[in-house]
């Protein structure tokens, strides 16, 4: 049995619905369909979720929302008209949208979660009606009826363990199940949405709960590629990768979908296949839960880069002899609530790498002053011009010359290496460079191993 999730661009209009229906009906094993809200139909278009957020804000501000309400209805009307459905479907949608503005909520966060979730909710209702209209047996399954329970906060939900027990009780026949993504219900019966990954998370949870053989994640790209196609022209597609490779690459900028979103599928040992709705015959990329399930043909699976980092460099003679030096440094980070990413060190030197998005100029100034006062380094420098290149592959642990080839590919092209560190997992090599060199670094490493 397969769980199939479709992204917003895959369900944006009637023409895209046709592609989804062809995919679903081409394989009897595709039993569960997870919907996203209608996405952009063309450049400059507005996603339905964004319209719903605007709708929620207008309700909160007690302002006239009729215009945005009509725009949301029009998006679904376009789909129902495309299939010449009866007015029953659009009337259900209008009622749901109208009731949203009239309902009573605990607070503003609950309002926003309820409104946001209805993009997926209404699209699942629409797709189920379309399938039945075309003679394909399907039923809309409300997450509340399925026992899809979540905790956490209204806009930052976490799945509860009871969900998996509830899903295991659901029986399958020849009827397709259409399930809205992105949200679940609290034990109090309130709608809570996931903060990141949206419908991807729902698909992963259902894959685990239903003990699926495969979780197919349909998006608008043919596969996950070895490198960013904005950096490398026509990069090689990755046929198969491990989840931990995906995690390492996502850290440095891989963004096909949130890597954390598929954790439930990984926990359930369900492989994930990333495919293209617009090109479904392509094999896509298979993400396997365990690194032991395949032997990579190349020591490197992917190369990613990110310039979202800053670094604090410290030099102090006999630093390695001082007991508690690192503890004092960590206590300063704790004082300001700052997490660090990496801390490569030498005998007299230490570099701490941060995600700069979590810092502001005032915090950086105070942090550096505290470090000077507390640790009295011989030299301290804050470096904003910092990029990290991640070279990742299960094969790295089984080859002896990969690191030397990577270093040669950079030094031969006059790219200075500020830091190099091999991860504890032995499947990743992290390289620090100046921001201006990051793109060329990725290109040169790619050429060395893939051309």
């Amino acid at each position: 049995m397969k769980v199939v999730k479709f992204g917003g661009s895959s369900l944006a209009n009637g023409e895209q619905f046709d592609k989804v229906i062809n995919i679903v009906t081409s394989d009897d094993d595709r039993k569960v369909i997870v919907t996203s809200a209608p996405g952009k139909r063309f450049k400059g278009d507005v996603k339905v979720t964004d319209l719903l957020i605007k709708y929620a804000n207008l309700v909160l501000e007690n302002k006239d929302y009729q215009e945005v309400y009509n725009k949301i209805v029009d998006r679904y009307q376009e789909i129902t008209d495309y299939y010449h459905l009866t007015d029953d479907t659009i009337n259900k949608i209008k009622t749901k949208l109208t009731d949203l503005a009239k309902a009573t909520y605990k607070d503003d966060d609950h309002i926003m979660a309820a409104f946001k979730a209805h993009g997926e909710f209404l699209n699942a209702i629409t797709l189920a009606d379309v399938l039945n209209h075309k003679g394909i047996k399907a039923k809309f399954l409300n997450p509340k009826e399925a026992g899809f329970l979540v905790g956490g906060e209204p806009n930052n939900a976490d799945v509860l363990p009871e969900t998996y027990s509830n899903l295991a009780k659901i029986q399958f026949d020849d009827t397709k199940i259409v399930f809205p993504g992105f949200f679940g219900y609290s034990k109090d019966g309130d709608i809570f949405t996931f903060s990141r990954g949206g419908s991807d998370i729902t698909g992963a949870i259902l894959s685990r709960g239903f003990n699926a053989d495969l979780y197919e994640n349909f998006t608008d790209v043919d596969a996950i590629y070895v490198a960013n196609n904005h950096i490398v022209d026509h990069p090689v597609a990755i046929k198969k990768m491990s989840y931990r490779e995906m995690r390492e690459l996502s850290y440095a900028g891989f963004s096909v979908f949130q890597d954390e979103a598929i954790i439930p599928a990984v926990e359930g040992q369900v492989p994930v296949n990333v495919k293209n709705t617009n090109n479904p015959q392509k094999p896509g990329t298979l993400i396997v839960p365990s690194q032991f399930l395949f032997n990579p043909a190349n020591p490197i699976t992917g190369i990613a880069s990110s310039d979202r980092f800053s670094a604090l460099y410290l030099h102090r003679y006999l630093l390695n002899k001082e007991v508690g030096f690192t503890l004092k440094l960590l206590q300063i980070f704790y004082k300001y609530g700052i997490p660090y990413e990496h801390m490569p060190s030498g005998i007299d030197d230490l570099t701490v790498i941060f995600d700069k998005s979590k810092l502001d100029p005032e915090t950086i100034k105070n942090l550096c002053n505290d470090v000077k006062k507390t640790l009295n380094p011989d030299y301290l420098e804050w470096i904003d011009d910092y990029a990290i290149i991640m070279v990742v592959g299960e094969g790295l642990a089984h080859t002896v010359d990969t690191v030397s080839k990577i270093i040669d590919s950079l030094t031969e092209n006059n790219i200075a290496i500020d830091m190099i560190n091999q991860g504890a997992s032995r499947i990743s090599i992290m390289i620090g460079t100046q921001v201006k060199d990051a793109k060329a670094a990725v290109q040169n490493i790619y050429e060395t191993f893939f051309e």
Side-chain angles (χ1 to χ4, degrees):
M1 189 273 280
K2 298 177 183 177
V3 172
V4 194
K5 173 263 172 183
F6 293 95
S9 60
S10 302
L11 292 165
N13 56 25
E15 289 83 359
Q16 290 299 106
F17 263 59
D18 277 343
K19 296 175 184 177
V20 167
I21 293 166
N22 288 335
I23 290 168
V24 169
T25 55
S26 68
D27 187 343
D28 289 339
D29 287 337
R30 290 172 174 146
K31 298 286 189 183
V32 181
I33 310 160
V34 181
T35 62
S36 300
K40 292 184 178 181
R41 298 159 294 182
F42 46 82
K43 188 177 181 180
D45 197 14
V46 181
K47 298 177 180 179
V48 165
T49 301
D50 292 334
L51 292 172
L52 285 162
I53 291 171
K54 186 176 181 181
Y55 182 22
N57 285 323
L58 291 170
V59 170
L60 285 168
E61 296 164 5
N62 291 315
K63 293 182 178 178
D64 181 26
Y65 52 75
Q66 193 60 48
E67 182 181 353
V68 70
Y69 170 92
N70 290 339
K71 286 182 179 179
I72 297 167
V73 171
D74 287 346
R75 288 297 301 271
Y76 294 101
Q77 182 84 61
E78 178 186 342
I79 297 168
T80 59
D81 286 350
Y82 181 87
Y83 289 103
H84 306 291
L85 299 187
T86 65
D87 289 340
D88 289 347
T89 302
I90 200 64
N91 287 338
K92 281 188 289 186
I93 289 169
K94 289 178 179 178
T95 300
K96 289 282 185 185
L97 286 172
T98 302
D99 289 346
L100 271 176
K102 295 178 179 178
T104 302
Y105 303 92
K106 292 177 181 176
D107 55 38
D108 292 357
D109 288 337
H110 283 78
I111 290 176
M112 188 57 69
F115 275 69
K116 284 192 304 183
H118 272 70
E120 283 76 9
F121 195 109
L122 301 178
N123 225 17
I125 290 173
T126 304
L127 179 58
D129 284 357
V130 168
L131 288 169
N132 283 305
H133 177 74
K134 292 177 70 68
I136 303 159
K137 290 176 67 176
K139 70 173 181 178
F140 165 76
L141 181 55
N142 190 324
K144 179 178 282 188
E145 297 170 4
F148 198 96
L149 297 174
V150 295
E153 301 171 5
N155 296 283
N156 187 17
D158 299 307
V159 66
L160 295 179
E162 300 97 301
T163 293
Y164 296 112
S165 301
N166 296 335
L167 293 174
K169 298 173 185 175
I170 295 174
Q171 301 295 314
F172 291 91
D173 51 29
D174 60 346
T175 302
K176 306 285 187 184
I177 291 177
V178 184
F179 201 101
F182 189 37
F183 73 95
Y185 285 86
S186 72
K187 289 186 174 181
D188 291 336
D190 298 314
I191 289 177
F192 281 19
T193 60
F194 298 113
S195 62
R196 301 170 65 189
S199 299
D200 293 329
I201 298 177
T202 302
I205 293 168
L206 295 179
S207 297
R208 176 182 169 185
F210 293 143
N211 195 27
D213 299 304
L214 183 66
Y215 170 30
E216 293 181 309
N217 192 302
F218 279 87
T219 178
D220 55 4
V221 294
D222 285 343
I224 300 172
Y225 294 93
V226 169
N228 188 327
N229 61 5
H230 296 295
I231 296 177
V232 173
D233 289 334
H234 308 295
V236 174
I238 300 172
K239 294 180 180 178
K240 186 185 287 188
M241 66 193 305
S242 69
Y243 175 68
R244 65 177 188 166
E245 286 178 323
M246 180 72 189
R247 286 277 291 155
E248 296 275 3
L249 289 166
S250 293
Y251 175 76
F254 262 46
S255 58
V256 173
F257 55 85
Q258 291 290 346
D259 59 299
E260 295 176 9
I262 62 172
I263 287 177
V266 174
E267 291 172 339
Q269 294 294 295
V270 181
V272 180
N273 197 180
V274 179
K275 301 191 74 172
N276 190 349
T277 304
N278 302 312
N279 207 1
Q281 69 275 11
K282 292 280 187 178
T285 298
L286 188 67
I287 304 169
V288 294
S290 171
Q291 65 269 26
F292 304 112
L293 296 182
F294 75 103
N295 294 313
N298 195 309
I300 291 176
T301 296
I303 312 156
S305 66
S306 176
D307 60 2
R308 63 181 174 87
F309 299 101
S310 294
L312 175 67
Y313 169 70
L314 298 171
H315 173 81
R316 180 168 165 175
Y317 182 58
L318 297 179
L319 182 152
N320 66 313
K321 298 289 186 181
E322 183 173 339
V323 177
F325 184 91
T326 306
L327 175 61
K328 294 175 186 176
L329 188 61
L330 292 176
Q331 286 172 334
I332 295 171
F333 299 160
Y334 181 77
K335 172 184 174 181
Y336 291 100
I338 302 170
Y340 74 93
E341 304 292 318
H342 304 280
M343 194 184 291
S345 62
I347 296 176
D348 301 319
D349 306 271
L350 185 147
T351 302
V352 187
I353 300 169
F354 301 92
D355 182 341
K356 68 172 67 176
S357 68
K358 298 174 182 176
L359 297 165
D360 58 74
E362 185 65 23
T363 301
I364 293 170
K365 178 182 175 182
N366 293 334
L367 172 68
C368 291
N369 286 338
D370 274 12
V371 171
K372 288 177 183 177
K373 193 184 304 180
T374 305
L375 300 176
N376 193 28
D378 297 326
Y379 179 77
L380 179 149
E381 181 183 3
W382 183 267
I383 307 168
D384 266 325
D385 185 9
Y386 209 88
I388 281 181
I389 318 299
M390 291 293 291
V391 183
V392 177
E394 293 287 350
L396 284 173
H398 309 291
T399 55
V400 295
D401 62 346
T402 305
V403 176
S404 63
K405 286 182 179 179
I406 291 170
I407 293 173
D408 288 346
S409 72
L410 301 182
T411 56
E412 288 171 3
N413 289 280
N414 298 314
I415 296 174
I417 300 173
D418 294 333
M419 177 272 295
I420 186 166
N421 182 39
Q422 184 160 14
S425 66
R426 298 177 66 205
I427 69 160
S428 66
I429 296 170
M430 179 185 297
I431 301 161
T433 70
Q434 291 184 315
V435 171
K436 68 178 179 62
D437 291 329
K439 182 176 179 180
V442 172
Q443 292 168 338
N444 288 313
I445 295 170
Y446 180 87
E447 289 169 6
T448 299
F449 289 91
F450 292 94
E451 292 184 359

